[in-house]
mmCIF file of all heavy atoms in Angstrom:
data_model
loop_
_atom_site.group_PDB
_atom_site.id
_atom_site.type_symbol
_atom_site.label_atom_id
_atom_site.label_comp_id
_atom_site.label_asym_id
_atom_site.label_seq_id
_atom_site.Cartn_x
_atom_site.Cartn_y
_atom_site.Cartn_z
ATOM 1 N N LYS A 261 -41.450 -48.143 107.109
ATOM 2 C CA LYS A 261 -40.427 -49.229 107.332
ATOM 3 C C LYS A 261 -41.289 -50.542 107.653
ATOM 4 O O LYS A 261 -42.227 -50.555 108.430
ATOM 5 C CB LYS A 261 -39.645 -48.925 108.608
ATOM 6 C CG LYS A 261 -38.616 -50.004 108.919
ATOM 7 C CD LYS A 261 -37.797 -49.516 110.053
ATOM 8 C CE LYS A 261 -36.639 -50.635 110.425
ATOM 9 N NZ LYS A 261 -35.817 -50.217 111.578
ATOM 10 N N GLY A 262 -40.845 -51.638 106.966
ATOM 11 C CA GLY A 262 -41.595 -52.896 107.134
ATOM 12 C C GLY A 262 -42.888 -53.079 106.504
ATOM 13 O O GLY A 262 -43.605 -54.090 106.756
ATOM 14 N N ALA A 263 -43.246 -52.153 105.645
ATOM 15 C CA ALA A 263 -44.453 -52.204 104.877
ATOM 16 C C ALA A 263 -44.581 -53.467 104.003
ATOM 17 O O ALA A 263 -45.647 -54.022 103.739
ATOM 18 C CB ALA A 263 -44.750 -50.951 104.041
ATOM 19 N N PHE A 264 -43.406 -53.976 103.464
ATOM 20 C CA PHE A 264 -43.330 -55.099 102.629
ATOM 21 C C PHE A 264 -41.886 -55.555 102.671
ATOM 22 O O PHE A 264 -40.961 -54.877 103.188
ATOM 23 C CB PHE A 264 -43.772 -54.777 101.092
ATOM 24 C CG PHE A 264 -43.107 -53.631 100.609
ATOM 25 C CD1 PHE A 264 -41.795 -53.700 100.011
ATOM 26 C CD2 PHE A 264 -43.770 -52.392 100.538
ATOM 27 C CE1 PHE A 264 -41.185 -52.606 99.466
ATOM 28 C CE2 PHE A 264 -43.106 -51.320 100.067
ATOM 29 C CZ PHE A 264 -41.834 -51.364 99.452
ATOM 30 N N THR A 265 -41.535 -56.793 102.064
ATOM 31 C CA THR A 265 -40.365 -57.298 102.117
ATOM 32 C C THR A 265 -39.315 -56.348 101.462
ATOM 33 O O THR A 265 -39.574 -56.049 100.327
ATOM 34 C CB THR A 265 -40.381 -58.719 101.421
ATOM 35 O OG1 THR A 265 -41.270 -59.538 102.099
ATOM 36 C CG2 THR A 265 -38.937 -59.444 101.510
ATOM 37 N N GLY A 266 -38.268 -56.141 102.156
ATOM 38 C CA GLY A 266 -37.297 -55.204 101.637
ATOM 39 C C GLY A 266 -37.410 -53.679 101.989
ATOM 40 O O GLY A 266 -36.568 -52.912 101.710
ATOM 41 N N ALA A 267 -38.549 -53.413 102.629
ATOM 42 C CA ALA A 267 -38.739 -52.085 103.085
ATOM 43 C C ALA A 267 -38.062 -51.915 104.470
ATOM 44 O O ALA A 267 -38.794 -51.964 105.453
ATOM 45 C CB ALA A 267 -40.262 -51.809 103.177
ATOM 46 N N ASP A 268 -36.814 -51.717 104.413
ATOM 47 C CA ASP A 268 -36.081 -51.716 105.716
ATOM 48 C C ASP A 268 -36.008 -50.237 106.294
ATOM 49 O O ASP A 268 -35.447 -50.052 107.428
ATOM 50 C CB ASP A 268 -34.562 -52.199 105.466
ATOM 51 C CG ASP A 268 -33.888 -51.435 104.306
ATOM 52 O OD1 ASP A 268 -34.592 -50.707 103.635
ATOM 53 O OD2 ASP A 268 -32.664 -51.651 104.223
ATOM 54 N N LYS A 269 -36.591 -49.219 105.613
ATOM 55 C CA LYS A 269 -36.605 -47.891 106.175
ATOM 56 C C LYS A 269 -37.738 -47.225 105.522
ATOM 57 O O LYS A 269 -38.307 -47.585 104.418
ATOM 58 C CB LYS A 269 -35.338 -47.173 106.003
ATOM 59 C CG LYS A 269 -34.903 -47.018 104.521
ATOM 60 C CD LYS A 269 -33.566 -46.261 104.506
ATOM 61 C CE LYS A 269 -33.086 -46.107 103.052
ATOM 62 N NZ LYS A 269 -31.812 -45.325 102.871
ATOM 63 N N GLN A 270 -38.147 -46.031 106.144
ATOM 64 C CA GLN A 270 -39.239 -45.221 105.556
ATOM 65 C C GLN A 270 -38.837 -44.571 104.272
ATOM 66 O O GLN A 270 -37.649 -44.158 104.188
ATOM 67 C CB GLN A 270 -39.594 -44.224 106.565
ATOM 68 C CG GLN A 270 -40.765 -43.334 106.197
ATOM 69 C CD GLN A 270 -40.998 -42.168 107.101
ATOM 70 O OE1 GLN A 270 -40.303 -41.206 107.095
ATOM 71 N NE2 GLN A 270 -42.105 -42.322 108.008
ATOM 72 N N LYS A 271 -39.718 -44.508 103.296
ATOM 73 C CA LYS A 271 -39.420 -43.801 102.009
ATOM 74 C C LYS A 271 -40.390 -42.729 101.880
ATOM 75 O O LYS A 271 -41.609 -42.879 102.058
ATOM 76 C CB LYS A 271 -39.478 -44.848 100.890
ATOM 77 C CG LYS A 271 -39.330 -44.248 99.514
ATOM 78 C CD LYS A 271 -39.507 -45.288 98.439
ATOM 79 C CE LYS A 271 -39.545 -44.691 97.039
ATOM 80 N NZ LYS A 271 -38.235 -44.148 96.685
ATOM 81 N N ILE A 272 -39.931 -41.573 101.469
ATOM 82 C CA ILE A 272 -40.789 -40.444 101.114
ATOM 83 C C ILE A 272 -41.127 -40.542 99.580
ATOM 84 O O ILE A 272 -40.337 -40.705 98.780
ATOM 85 C CB ILE A 272 -40.013 -39.171 101.315
ATOM 86 C CG1 ILE A 272 -39.647 -39.038 102.861
ATOM 87 C CG2 ILE A 272 -40.978 -37.919 101.012
ATOM 88 C CD1 ILE A 272 -40.671 -39.082 103.843
ATOM 89 N N GLY A 273 -42.414 -40.415 99.333
ATOM 90 C CA GLY A 273 -42.891 -40.543 97.968
ATOM 91 C C GLY A 273 -42.823 -39.213 97.213
ATOM 92 O O GLY A 273 -42.539 -38.162 97.704
ATOM 93 N N ARG A 274 -43.185 -39.344 95.905
ATOM 94 C CA ARG A 274 -43.012 -38.137 95.022
ATOM 95 C C ARG A 274 -44.095 -37.101 95.309
ATOM 96 O O ARG A 274 -43.834 -35.977 95.126
ATOM 97 C CB ARG A 274 -43.212 -38.712 93.548
ATOM 98 C CG ARG A 274 -42.163 -39.644 93.053
ATOM 99 C CD ARG A 274 -40.819 -39.126 92.964
ATOM 100 N NE ARG A 274 -39.794 -40.077 92.513
ATOM 101 C CZ ARG A 274 -39.423 -40.163 91.215
ATOM 102 N NH1 ARG A 274 -39.865 -39.287 90.409
ATOM 103 N NH2 ARG A 274 -38.522 -41.061 90.860
ATOM 104 N N PHE A 275 -45.253 -37.584 95.789
ATOM 105 C CA PHE A 275 -46.200 -36.551 96.168
ATOM 106 C C PHE A 275 -45.723 -35.671 97.377
ATOM 107 O O PHE A 275 -45.887 -34.463 97.260
ATOM 108 C CB PHE A 275 -47.554 -37.189 96.590
ATOM 109 C CG PHE A 275 -48.490 -37.390 95.402
ATOM 110 C CD1 PHE A 275 -48.674 -38.690 94.839
ATOM 111 C CD2 PHE A 275 -49.219 -36.242 94.878
ATOM 112 C CE1 PHE A 275 -49.487 -38.846 93.726
ATOM 113 C CE2 PHE A 275 -50.034 -36.467 93.849
ATOM 114 C CZ PHE A 275 -50.255 -37.786 93.223
ATOM 115 N N GLU A 276 -45.096 -36.259 98.258
ATOM 116 C CA GLU A 276 -44.522 -35.462 99.484
ATOM 117 C C GLU A 276 -43.378 -34.638 98.893
ATOM 118 O O GLU A 276 -43.259 -33.523 99.413
ATOM 119 C CB GLU A 276 -44.031 -36.420 100.477
ATOM 120 C CG GLU A 276 -45.073 -36.994 101.383
ATOM 121 C CD GLU A 276 -44.519 -37.861 102.552
ATOM 122 O OE1 GLU A 276 -44.188 -37.302 103.570
ATOM 123 O OE2 GLU A 276 -44.444 -39.112 102.376
ATOM 124 N N LEU A 277 -42.473 -35.215 98.051
ATOM 125 C CA LEU A 277 -41.308 -34.453 97.562
ATOM 126 C C LEU A 277 -41.938 -33.194 96.777
ATOM 127 O O LEU A 277 -41.216 -32.127 96.714
ATOM 128 C CB LEU A 277 -40.524 -35.279 96.706
ATOM 129 C CG LEU A 277 -39.806 -36.477 97.378
ATOM 130 C CD1 LEU A 277 -39.076 -37.291 96.392
ATOM 131 C CD2 LEU A 277 -38.778 -35.800 98.383
ATOM 132 N N ALA A 278 -43.021 -33.249 96.155
ATOM 133 C CA ALA A 278 -43.490 -32.140 95.327
ATOM 134 C C ALA A 278 -44.385 -31.273 96.107
ATOM 135 O O ALA A 278 -44.974 -30.309 95.496
ATOM 136 C CB ALA A 278 -44.299 -32.756 94.131
ATOM 137 N N ASP A 279 -44.530 -31.372 97.318
ATOM 138 C CA ASP A 279 -45.423 -30.557 98.200
ATOM 139 C C ASP A 279 -45.092 -29.038 97.990
ATOM 140 O O ASP A 279 -43.966 -28.645 98.152
ATOM 141 C CB ASP A 279 -45.225 -30.963 99.737
ATOM 142 C CG ASP A 279 -46.339 -30.271 100.520
ATOM 143 O OD1 ASP A 279 -47.328 -29.902 99.963
ATOM 144 O OD2 ASP A 279 -46.140 -30.090 101.754
ATOM 145 N N GLY A 280 -46.154 -28.231 97.639
ATOM 146 C CA GLY A 280 -46.008 -26.880 97.341
ATOM 147 C C GLY A 280 -45.650 -26.621 95.928
ATOM 148 O O GLY A 280 -45.757 -25.469 95.469
ATOM 149 N N GLY A 281 -45.239 -27.696 95.248
ATOM 150 C CA GLY A 281 -44.864 -27.402 93.861
ATOM 151 C C GLY A 281 -45.674 -28.232 92.843
ATOM 152 O O GLY A 281 -46.873 -28.325 92.892
ATOM 153 N N THR A 282 -44.950 -28.833 91.936
ATOM 154 C CA THR A 282 -45.578 -29.515 90.710
ATOM 155 C C THR A 282 -45.149 -30.985 90.616
ATOM 156 O O THR A 282 -43.905 -31.265 90.727
ATOM 157 C CB THR A 282 -45.324 -28.782 89.397
ATOM 158 O OG1 THR A 282 -45.804 -27.367 89.480
ATOM 159 C CG2 THR A 282 -46.051 -29.424 88.193
ATOM 160 N N LEU A 283 -46.092 -31.856 90.374
ATOM 161 C CA LEU A 283 -45.767 -33.233 90.095
ATOM 162 C C LEU A 283 -46.128 -33.548 88.652
ATOM 163 O O LEU A 283 -47.257 -33.465 88.276
ATOM 164 C CB LEU A 283 -46.483 -34.162 91.092
ATOM 165 C CG LEU A 283 -46.232 -35.715 90.915
ATOM 166 C CD1 LEU A 283 -44.761 -36.018 91.113
ATOM 167 C CD2 LEU A 283 -47.112 -36.525 91.757
ATOM 168 N N PHE A 284 -45.109 -33.920 87.882
ATOM 169 C CA PHE A 284 -45.233 -34.300 86.440
ATOM 170 C C PHE A 284 -45.461 -35.836 86.314
ATOM 171 O O PHE A 284 -44.409 -36.554 86.649
ATOM 172 C CB PHE A 284 -44.198 -33.751 85.628
ATOM 173 C CG PHE A 284 -44.301 -34.177 84.192
ATOM 174 C CD1 PHE A 284 -45.278 -33.759 83.391
ATOM 175 C CD2 PHE A 284 -43.231 -34.856 83.634
ATOM 176 C CE1 PHE A 284 -45.298 -34.160 82.086
ATOM 177 C CE2 PHE A 284 -43.155 -35.128 82.265
ATOM 178 C CZ PHE A 284 -44.344 -34.820 81.552
ATOM 179 N N LEU A 285 -46.575 -36.295 85.841
ATOM 180 C CA LEU A 285 -46.803 -37.733 85.701
ATOM 181 C C LEU A 285 -46.726 -37.979 84.239
ATOM 182 O O LEU A 285 -47.709 -37.686 83.455
ATOM 183 C CB LEU A 285 -48.079 -38.097 86.223
ATOM 184 C CG LEU A 285 -48.385 -37.798 87.756
ATOM 185 C CD1 LEU A 285 -49.827 -38.279 88.128
ATOM 186 C CD2 LEU A 285 -47.340 -38.592 88.535
ATOM 187 N N ASP A 286 -45.652 -38.628 83.716
ATOM 188 C CA ASP A 286 -45.552 -38.969 82.321
ATOM 189 C C ASP A 286 -45.969 -40.390 82.159
ATOM 190 O O ASP A 286 -45.879 -41.201 82.979
ATOM 191 C CB ASP A 286 -44.050 -38.850 82.031
ATOM 192 C CG ASP A 286 -43.755 -38.753 80.486
ATOM 193 O OD1 ASP A 286 -44.803 -38.627 79.788
ATOM 194 O OD2 ASP A 286 -42.612 -38.777 79.968
ATOM 195 N N GLU A 287 -46.466 -40.602 80.920
ATOM 196 C CA GLU A 287 -47.058 -41.878 80.397
ATOM 197 C C GLU A 287 -48.124 -42.362 81.421
ATOM 198 O O GLU A 287 -48.013 -43.531 81.938
ATOM 199 C CB GLU A 287 -45.913 -42.938 80.483
ATOM 200 C CG GLU A 287 -44.814 -42.495 79.555
ATOM 201 C CD GLU A 287 -45.186 -42.346 78.049
ATOM 202 O OE1 GLU A 287 -46.272 -42.804 77.726
ATOM 203 O OE2 GLU A 287 -44.343 -41.871 77.221
ATOM 204 N N ILE A 288 -49.077 -41.619 81.662
ATOM 205 C CA ILE A 288 -50.190 -41.944 82.651
ATOM 206 C C ILE A 288 -51.003 -43.107 82.126
ATOM 207 O O ILE A 288 -51.811 -43.693 82.855
ATOM 208 C CB ILE A 288 -51.042 -40.728 82.977
ATOM 209 C CG1 ILE A 288 -51.674 -40.124 81.761
ATOM 210 C CG2 ILE A 288 -50.279 -39.701 83.796
ATOM 211 C CD1 ILE A 288 -52.878 -39.300 82.015
ATOM 212 N N GLY A 289 -50.954 -43.254 80.809
ATOM 213 C CA GLY A 289 -51.692 -44.367 80.224
ATOM 214 C C GLY A 289 -51.319 -45.782 80.620
ATOM 215 O O GLY A 289 -51.989 -46.739 80.355
ATOM 216 N N ASN A 290 -50.108 -45.808 81.301
ATOM 217 C CA ASN A 290 -49.599 -47.101 81.778
ATOM 218 C C ASN A 290 -49.998 -47.491 83.168
ATOM 219 O O ASN A 290 -49.605 -48.550 83.602
ATOM 220 C CB ASN A 290 -47.983 -47.088 81.614
ATOM 221 C CG ASN A 290 -47.514 -47.023 80.254
ATOM 222 O OD1 ASN A 290 -47.548 -45.972 79.639
ATOM 223 N ND2 ASN A 290 -47.096 -48.163 79.712
ATOM 224 N N MET A 291 -50.703 -46.701 83.828
ATOM 225 C CA MET A 291 -51.186 -47.024 85.182
ATOM 226 C C MET A 291 -52.410 -48.007 85.222
ATOM 227 O O MET A 291 -53.230 -47.872 84.279
ATOM 228 C CB MET A 291 -51.606 -45.660 85.954
ATOM 229 C CG MET A 291 -50.517 -44.635 86.180
ATOM 230 S SD MET A 291 -50.939 -43.232 87.154
ATOM 231 C CE MET A 291 -52.333 -42.569 86.383
ATOM 232 N N SER A 292 -52.348 -48.825 86.199
ATOM 233 C CA SER A 292 -53.435 -49.775 86.366
ATOM 234 C C SER A 292 -54.643 -49.019 86.830
ATOM 235 O O SER A 292 -54.653 -47.868 87.356
ATOM 236 C CB SER A 292 -53.085 -50.822 87.416
ATOM 237 O OG SER A 292 -53.026 -50.275 88.752
ATOM 238 N N LEU A 293 -55.927 -49.661 86.634
ATOM 239 C CA LEU A 293 -57.149 -49.051 86.978
ATOM 240 C C LEU A 293 -57.189 -48.677 88.500
ATOM 241 O O LEU A 293 -57.536 -47.709 88.933
ATOM 242 C CB LEU A 293 -58.280 -49.855 86.587
ATOM 243 C CG LEU A 293 -58.613 -49.855 85.047
ATOM 244 C CD1 LEU A 293 -59.665 -50.919 84.718
ATOM 245 C CD2 LEU A 293 -59.194 -48.473 84.599
ATOM 246 N N GLU A 294 -56.704 -49.684 89.277
ATOM 247 C CA GLU A 294 -56.619 -49.574 90.651
ATOM 248 C C GLU A 294 -55.829 -48.384 91.210
ATOM 249 O O GLU A 294 -56.154 -47.564 92.011
ATOM 250 C CB GLU A 294 -56.064 -50.899 91.425
ATOM 251 C CG GLU A 294 -56.030 -50.793 92.899
ATOM 252 C CD GLU A 294 -55.513 -51.983 93.537
ATOM 253 O OE1 GLU A 294 -55.052 -52.922 92.796
ATOM 254 O OE2 GLU A 294 -55.362 -52.134 94.812
ATOM 255 N N PHE A 295 -54.671 -48.253 90.586
ATOM 256 C CA PHE A 295 -53.715 -47.140 90.881
ATOM 257 C C PHE A 295 -54.378 -45.799 90.395
ATOM 258 O O PHE A 295 -54.223 -44.819 91.000
ATOM 259 C CB PHE A 295 -52.439 -47.363 90.335
ATOM 260 C CG PHE A 295 -51.402 -46.412 90.903
ATOM 261 C CD1 PHE A 295 -50.884 -46.467 92.218
ATOM 262 C CD2 PHE A 295 -50.947 -45.318 90.034
ATOM 263 C CE1 PHE A 295 -50.000 -45.635 92.623
ATOM 264 C CE2 PHE A 295 -49.972 -44.405 90.540
ATOM 265 C CZ PHE A 295 -49.578 -44.575 91.861
ATOM 266 N N GLN A 296 -55.021 -45.845 89.253
ATOM 267 C CA GLN A 296 -55.613 -44.548 88.679
ATOM 268 C C GLN A 296 -56.617 -43.997 89.779
ATOM 269 O O GLN A 296 -56.719 -42.838 89.953
ATOM 270 C CB GLN A 296 -56.422 -44.893 87.429
ATOM 271 C CG GLN A 296 -55.467 -45.167 86.306
ATOM 272 C CD GLN A 296 -56.270 -45.572 85.030
ATOM 273 O OE1 GLN A 296 -57.394 -45.111 84.803
ATOM 274 N NE2 GLN A 296 -55.663 -46.477 84.235
ATOM 275 N N GLU A 297 -57.380 -44.934 90.465
ATOM 276 C CA GLU A 297 -58.334 -44.444 91.446
ATOM 277 C C GLU A 297 -57.636 -43.840 92.581
ATOM 278 O O GLU A 297 -58.114 -42.746 93.118
ATOM 279 C CB GLU A 297 -59.150 -45.701 91.969
ATOM 280 C CG GLU A 297 -60.240 -45.275 93.019
ATOM 281 C CD GLU A 297 -60.969 -46.410 93.437
ATOM 282 O OE1 GLU A 297 -60.654 -47.573 92.961
ATOM 283 O OE2 GLU A 297 -62.031 -46.132 94.316
ATOM 284 N N LYS A 298 -56.520 -44.278 92.979
ATOM 285 C CA LYS A 298 -55.759 -43.677 94.103
ATOM 286 C C LYS A 298 -55.253 -42.292 93.697
ATOM 287 O O LYS A 298 -55.276 -41.438 94.547
ATOM 288 C CB LYS A 298 -54.650 -44.632 94.549
ATOM 289 C CG LYS A 298 -55.162 -45.839 95.162
ATOM 290 C CD LYS A 298 -54.017 -46.826 95.558
ATOM 291 C CE LYS A 298 -54.432 -48.095 96.119
ATOM 292 N NZ LYS A 298 -53.461 -49.086 96.571
ATOM 293 N N VAL A 299 -54.686 -42.264 92.529
ATOM 294 C CA VAL A 299 -54.254 -40.920 92.051
ATOM 295 C C VAL A 299 -55.270 -39.978 91.933
ATOM 296 O O VAL A 299 -55.065 -38.772 92.286
ATOM 297 C CB VAL A 299 -53.412 -41.098 90.690
ATOM 298 C CG1 VAL A 299 -53.134 -39.701 90.083
ATOM 299 C CG2 VAL A 299 -52.207 -41.940 90.813
ATOM 300 N N LEU A 300 -56.449 -40.321 91.462
ATOM 301 C CA LEU A 300 -57.630 -39.473 91.376
ATOM 302 C C LEU A 300 -58.033 -38.946 92.685
ATOM 303 O O LEU A 300 -58.296 -37.693 92.965
ATOM 304 C CB LEU A 300 -58.837 -40.207 90.767
ATOM 305 C CG LEU A 300 -60.189 -39.469 90.743
ATOM 306 C CD1 LEU A 300 -60.032 -38.238 89.935
ATOM 307 C CD2 LEU A 300 -61.250 -40.361 90.280
ATOM 308 N N ARG A 301 -57.918 -39.729 93.829
ATOM 309 C CA ARG A 301 -58.294 -39.267 95.123
ATOM 310 C C ARG A 301 -57.320 -38.228 95.633
ATOM 311 O O ARG A 301 -57.713 -37.248 96.266
ATOM 312 C CB ARG A 301 -58.337 -40.510 96.124
ATOM 313 C CG ARG A 301 -59.636 -41.378 95.921
ATOM 314 C CD ARG A 301 -59.720 -42.358 97.051
ATOM 315 N NE ARG A 301 -59.870 -41.709 98.317
ATOM 316 C CZ ARG A 301 -60.986 -41.340 98.775
ATOM 317 N NH1 ARG A 301 -62.170 -41.365 97.947
ATOM 318 N NH2 ARG A 301 -61.215 -40.711 99.889
ATOM 319 N N VAL A 302 -56.043 -38.395 95.337
ATOM 320 C CA VAL A 302 -55.029 -37.558 95.784
ATOM 321 C C VAL A 302 -55.245 -36.183 95.212
ATOM 322 O O VAL A 302 -55.113 -35.090 95.709
ATOM 323 C CB VAL A 302 -53.568 -38.064 95.571
ATOM 324 C CG1 VAL A 302 -52.560 -37.009 96.060
ATOM 325 C CG2 VAL A 302 -53.388 -39.350 96.275
ATOM 326 N N ILE A 303 -55.415 -36.261 93.797
ATOM 327 C CA ILE A 303 -55.662 -34.957 93.069
ATOM 328 C C ILE A 303 -56.927 -34.253 93.579
ATOM 329 O O ILE A 303 -56.874 -32.974 93.773
ATOM 330 C CB ILE A 303 -55.800 -35.265 91.503
ATOM 331 C CG1 ILE A 303 -54.592 -35.857 91.023
ATOM 332 C CG2 ILE A 303 -56.219 -34.017 90.731
ATOM 333 C CD1 ILE A 303 -54.630 -36.270 89.549
ATOM 334 N N GLU A 304 -57.917 -35.015 93.918
ATOM 335 C CA GLU A 304 -59.233 -34.412 94.338
ATOM 336 C C GLU A 304 -59.084 -33.873 95.838
ATOM 337 O O GLU A 304 -59.514 -32.768 96.071
ATOM 338 C CB GLU A 304 -60.336 -35.489 94.322
ATOM 339 C CG GLU A 304 -61.611 -34.947 94.450
ATOM 340 C CD GLU A 304 -62.122 -34.196 93.214
ATOM 341 O OE1 GLU A 304 -61.817 -34.577 92.079
ATOM 342 O OE2 GLU A 304 -62.816 -33.169 93.444
#
């Protein structure tokens, strides 16, 4: 909550929602290089 303008409450992300299961990332070629690095760290 309050992380940026319009963030009026906490939001659970897709990685948390998929905990214990599978996260399917479609069209990964559209991710920015900066975001690719963050995804790599989570996978790792």
Side-chain angles (χ1 to χ4, degrees):
K261 181 179 179 179
F264 50 84
T265 303
D268 54 352
K269 60 182 179 180
Q270 186 188 73
K271 176 184 174 65
I272 303 299
R274 300 295 181 98
F275 270 102
E276 282 182 84
L277 291 174
D279 190 21
T282 301
L283 180 62
F284 174 60
L285 302 179
D286 198 8
E287 303 298 350
I288 57 162
N290 291 79
M291 295 188 300
S292 68
L293 286 170
E294 181 183 2
F295 190 73
Q296 290 174 32
E297 181 179 2
K298 294 179 180 179
V299 170
L300 174 62
R301 288 189 61 82
V302 181
I303 296 174
E304 193 72 41

